Structure formats: C-alpha cells, structure tokens
Amino acid sequence: MRENPSPIVWTIAGSDSGGGAGIQADLLTFADFGCHGCSAITANTAQNTVEVAAINAVSPDVLESQLRALRKDLFPAAIKVGLLANTEQVIAVSKFLRELLHSRKIPVIYDPVAVASSGAALTEDGTADAVIGQLLPLCDLVTPNVHELEGLAGERVGGAAQITDAARKISDTRGCAVLVTGGHCELVHGEIADLLWDGERADWFVGQRIDSGNTHGTGCTLSSAIAACMALGYPLRDACVVAKAYVQRGLRLGNSAGIGSGAGPLRHCGWPDSLQDFPRVLVPGDEGSAAYAGANDVGAFVHNFAATDSKQLGLYPVVDSVEWIEALAKAGVRTLQLRIKAPGDDVKEQIARAVAIGRAYNLRLFINDHWQLAIECGAYGVHLGQEDLQAADLMGIRRAGLKLGISTHGFYELLLSYRYRPSYLAIGAIYATDTKDMSDQLQGVEKLARLVALLPDMPLVAIGGINLERAAAVAATGVGSIAVVSAITKAADYRAAVRQFMTVTGELPC
C-alpha cells in the first residue's frame, strides 16, 4: 500500500502509433512508478519500428484545450514535455507553463525530441530557437543526448570536458539543470556515461552498455521516469539514478519475442530493484581530468573498510555524553555512537573515556566526526556525514583498522557512499525529527524498503524520527539496525525503552 495517493503526472508529447515512444512509453512508465498519467497530445505520428511515415501536428488551439481541461481537474505533481512539432506549439506550451508555474512550483522535465531513432526529423525548422528562448527557462531539467546537446549549445562537443562545458553553458544561460544521456557517446569501451549538471556541480553516472534491439523509446522513458520520481517527492539526483536504473533494467530484460522488424520498444518491467541496473556514481567534481578514471571499479576511492562483526547491528542509540554511553552499555546495548554536539577542551578526554567503556563492554562504539581523535584513542569505529567524506583522511581511518559508517539520504548518496565499501551505511531521515531539520530529505518506510533491497549484504542503519510506535514498520523493511536519539534519551524509563526496541530489532525474545 502506498503512503500517499498516486500523484498525477502529465506528458505533453506526441503519440507513437507503433506504441514504443511518446505518450505510450510515458504512460507505461508512469504506471510502473505508481503515478496516474495524463496526456496532452502534440502530434499524431504515423510510425512503426522502421520508419516515421507522417507527423500530424495538432493545432495550438487543440493542444491548449487539452492542457486547460487537465488543469481544471487533474493538477499535476510533475510535467514531462516531449515532442513539440513546431514553433507555434513551443510558444503555446511555454505560455501555458508560465501561467501554471506562477501559482505553484511544479517540476518540468523536457526531453528535446527532434529526431526519431530511425533518423527522421520530427520538428520543423526554427523550433529549436523557440525552445531555447522560451521553454528551457521554465524547465527544471532538460535531458538531451550528445547530438541534441550540440544543438542546444550551438557548438560541437567531444570528450568529457566539452560535454561538461556545454551543459554548464545551457544551465548558466537558461537556468535549468542538464542531464546529458550517454547512449550516443561511449567514453570507455563497453560503458556509457551520463553527465548531470545542476548549476553547481557535475556528476557522472556510469553503466554497462547493453546490446539490445529494443531501444525505441529510451529517451522518452528516461525523462518520464524522472518526472514520475520527482512527482513522488524524490530530489533531482535520486530521480535521475532511479530513472537510469529503470531504463537499464528494461534494456537488460528486453523483449525476448521481438516486436516489429526494426528497433523494438524498450521493455517496461516495473521498479528497478537490482543493484546491477543502477549506475556507479563518480566522485563529485571529478568531471575534468578524472571524470572517467576509476569508473570500472572502486580504484578511485579509498575502500573496503573493516567489517563489523555482524550485518545486524540492532538498536543503535546516538548520544551526546560519556554518561549515556556507560548507562546504555549497562542496559545491554551493543551498538552506540558518541556525537558530541558542542566539543570543548576536554573532547579528547571524553572520547578516550568512551573508548575505554566500549572495550570493557565489548561495544560497537562509533565516534561521530572526530576521526583524528578516534584513531588516536583506538576507537572501534568512526561515523561521517556526506560533507565530511572529502575532508577526512579515509586512508588513515582504514589503515588504523577502524570501522567506518557513512550517512546517506536517498539513492544517489547511497550509491556514491557504497563505492567506498564502508562498514555500514546509515539511511535517513526516515521520519521528521526534532534533532535537525531534514524535511527535504525524508525517506519514509516505502523508500527505505527499496534502498534496503539494493544492498542485501551491506549492514544498514535506519535513522530519523523513529519511535516505538514506528519501529516495527521500520524493522519490517529488512534494515538490520534502528538508530534512535530522543526515543531513548527522553524516555520516561530509558531501560524499558531499550528492552522494547531490542525486542523489535530481534535482540531480545518477544
């Protein structure tokens, strides 16, 4: 059962009579993601798997009437824009979107369809200028392939650096993020790389090239999957990596029977639940000389940290004092984290005392942030946030034999952090919490379950707003550990709370 009603997603695109691309592919994708799809048709194309015989563009009036009807009753949570056959349609859609977005922020994803996979032109001359000037500034994301990128940027591109520069140019001048899809660009033999530039930084998403005769509609499907994910509340990077996995899964599973005598349609086969379909995420900022280095393995990362003694870390209280460490150790807790919020001159002494208690009680004791002191004091492990990964001496942590835990917030950060092969990964915030404002990074148990399914052999920790009433639902996702803060430290009887949580996590009998 979904946590929320199915969100509504619009597709403003052409109809593919062959059923492989356009609104047909979009609606299949929306359904796979649990969204309700609505369509405003821009053109009725006459095509099959080998040719586009005709493109019958609808008039601006017909297009606008569809959009107005949808606005009255089926307001969107996200919009995907595909084929706009002529300048008049671009102007009409841009005007409508300006009015719509004036009252409410809605993610708009644009797939700049200009040429069919068969090579046939789908838009009239001059349409690109209208797109660049009027439509792109209204979009959150545009998803060109390399050839479409050249058209939008007005320049030829070659390697990784030029692709990045062109994407940055479009983003800087038009205000939208750019996802350059790699299906037409192979930077390393046998692999494809997509570039995401969001206006601040670049990320490369790398995956294996799959030889498939069923590739019709991949671009439409990618952009509509991104729109569906954003309608579900996913941030941009999460939406992009999930959408890429969805397309990769469709290519991998294929249509064994074959449909048509040309490029068959991409298979739509449900939520991507296998890690092999998700892209590898390169280190942010490495889009220049190191953009593609280490893509084939984890060689570009410090990795393979010491393993914990169990994949099931159980109840995991996060506390701010040595006194709490000792009290909870005496109560039978095995996994703990010392997070000193306002370190003073005695921070080394506190960590040393906590480490001594950890040894006495055989604790899995992680020190938050203070990795230098954790190494010096011989701690069991260190916990780092995303912002700390680039500053910390990861090689020094690994060399010292300390375990490493990393905080993640969604699919993108999970994939990036997994490349370090840490001792465990924490996923949060599952629910809203009073500890810090994580309202833009709430996962919920449905998303948590999907994240857990990707890494069945990795110790995972759920954190954020988890109390006793919510603990059973969290544990049911298969996550091996539940981290809590106030549910223990502010409990009327913390010992009783510990016992109840440990019953939920399976550390004590029911």
Side-chain angles (χ1 to χ4, degrees):
M1 181 178 295
R2 303 198 61 81
E3 295 178 337
N4 300 301
S6 298
I8 294 171
V9 188
W10 292 2
T11 171
I12 305 172
S15 170
D16 176 358
S17 58
I23 63 163
Q24 284 81 357
D26 296 340
L27 294 176
L28 287 171
T29 302
F30 297 157
D32 268 353
F33 281 87
C35 297
H36 177 75
C38 299
S39 62
I41 298 175
T42 60
N44 289 297
T45 69
Q47 62 177 298
N48 49 41
T49 64
V50 295
E51 67 171 346
V52 178
I55 301 165
N56 303 298
V58 306
S59 70
D61 288 344
V62 170
L63 177 55
E64 289 175 31
S65 68
Q66 296 174 77
L67 295 172
R68 287 194 299 269
L70 292 178
R71 180 177 182 174
K72 286 181 179 179
D73 184 49
L74 296 162
F75 204 86
I79 300 172
K80 176 263 175 81
V81 180
L83 171 64
L84 298 176
N86 50 49
T87 300
E88 290 75 16
Q89 287 189 351
V90 175
I91 294 172
V93 169
S94 299
K95 178 182 177 182
F96 179 86
L97 289 177
R98 275 193 294 272
E99 296 172 354
L100 189 73
L101 299 176
H102 180 73
S103 60
R104 191 180 307 181
K105 176 63 177 173
I106 304 165
V108 177
I109 315 302
Y110 174 51
D111 177 27
V113 180
V115 178
S117 55
S118 64
L122 298 175
T123 59
E124 296 179 3
D125 292 341
T127 304
D129 292 337
V131 165
I132 294 169
Q134 298 201 39
L135 181 61
L136 289 190
L138 302 171
C139 298
D140 292 84
L141 177 71
V142 58
T143 61
N145 60 36
V146 172
H147 302 310
E148 293 161 346
L149 176 71
E150 291 176 338
L152 294 174
E155 60 189 49
R156 298 284 293 176
V157 299
Q162 288 183 325
I163 290 173
T164 304
D165 288 343
R168 184 186 288 116
K169 175 182 177 180
I170 294 170
S171 179
D172 289 347
T173 57
R174 303 304 166 188
C176 57
V178 181
L179 177 66
V180 185
T181 59
H184 293 74
C185 181
E186 188 173 277
L187 300 181
V188 169
H189 180 67
E191 294 198 322
I192 56 174
D194 291 5
L195 167 75
L196 174 65
W197 176 262
D198 69 347
E200 296 182 0
R201 74 171 195 259
D203 283 290
W204 286 94
F205 305 140
V206 182
Q208 290 294 316
R209 179 178 290 279
I210 296 177
D211 292 327
S212 171
N214 301 292
T215 58
H216 187 47
T218 52
C220 300
T221 298
L222 178 70
S223 55
S224 56
I226 293 172
C229 286
M230 296 191 77
L232 291 167
Y234 285 25
L236 178 61
R237 281 180 168 76
D238 277 17
C240 288
V241 297
V242 171
K244 276 193 59 62
Y246 178 74
V247 171
Q248 190 80 346
R249 175 180 168 90
L251 290 170
R252 178 173 59 84
L253 295 180
N255 288 296
S256 57
I259 297 176
S261 55
L266 176 73
R267 185 174 178 184
H268 297 259
C269 42
W271 184 277
D273 56 5
S274 175
L275 185 63
Q276 67 179 312
D277 294 323
F278 280 79
R280 293 188 301 285
V281 179
L282 301 193
V283 174
D286 279 351
E287 70 277 11
S289 61
Y292 216 65
N296 295 296
D297 52 37
V298 291
F301 295 74
V302 178
H303 62 283
N304 289 339
F305 288 83
T308 56
D309 62 325
S310 173
K311 290 190 294 186
Q312 307 294 317
L313 300 183
L315 175 63
Y316 186 170
V318 179
V319 296
D320 60 3
S321 72
V322 178
E323 289 71 26
W324 269 116
I325 295 291
E326 184 169 23
L328 292 172
K330 290 179 179 178
V333 177
R334 281 280 329 273
T335 308
L336 285 158
Q337 182 182 137
L338 177 62
R339 183 168 66 193
I340 302 173
K341 296 180 180 179
D345 296 336
D346 64 341
V347 62
K348 180 178 178 180
E349 178 187 348
Q350 292 184 62
I351 291 174
R353 286 170 53 206
V355 168
I357 294 170
R359 289 174 179 163
Y361 286 89
N362 191 29
L363 301 180
R364 307 181 191 102
L365 176 63
F366 293 87
I367 306 301
N368 184 277
D369 288 349
H370 298 283
W371 55 269
Q372 301 99 323
L373 293 177
I375 294 174
E376 187 176 341
C377 296
Y380 177 87
V382 174
H383 183 89
L384 298 175
Q386 290 288 313
E387 66 280 0
D388 304 311
L389 285 173
Q390 301 303 314
D393 181 2
L394 298 181
M395 183 63 76
I397 293 171
R398 192 185 72 171
R399 196 163 40 235
L402 272 64
K403 282 71 173 175
L404 175 66
I406 301 177
S407 293
T408 70
H409 312 89
F411 286 91
Y412 165 80
E413 290 186 1
L414 188 83
L415 294 170
L416 175 61
S417 301
Y418 178 67
R419 293 206 62 207
Y420 293 96
R421 301 300 192 270
S423 309
Y424 75 82
L425 291 168
I427 301 171
I430 309 305
Y431 302 99
T433 173
D434 295 333
T435 306
K436 62 173 71 173
D437 182 11
M438 303 288 287
S439 56
D440 60 338
Q441 295 177 321
L442 297 182
Q443 309 303 320
V445 292
E446 183 178 4
K447 188 174 179 181
L448 173 63
R450 298 194 187 281
L451 291 162
V452 169
L454 291 183
L455 299 173
D457 297 323
M458 166 66 68
L460 299 174
V461 178
I463 186 169
I466 304 172
N467 54 31
L468 279 169
E469 290 72 29
R470 294 166 169 169
V474 173
T477 65
V479 70
S481 178
I482 294 177
V484 295
V485 184
S486 56
I488 294 290
T489 59
K490 294 183 179 180
D493 183 344
Y494 75 87
R495 295 181 183 85
V498 165
R499 290 193 296 271
Q500 290 172 297
F501 271 109
M502 292 180 73
T503 298
V504 174
T505 58
E507 297 169 273
L508 292 177
C510 297

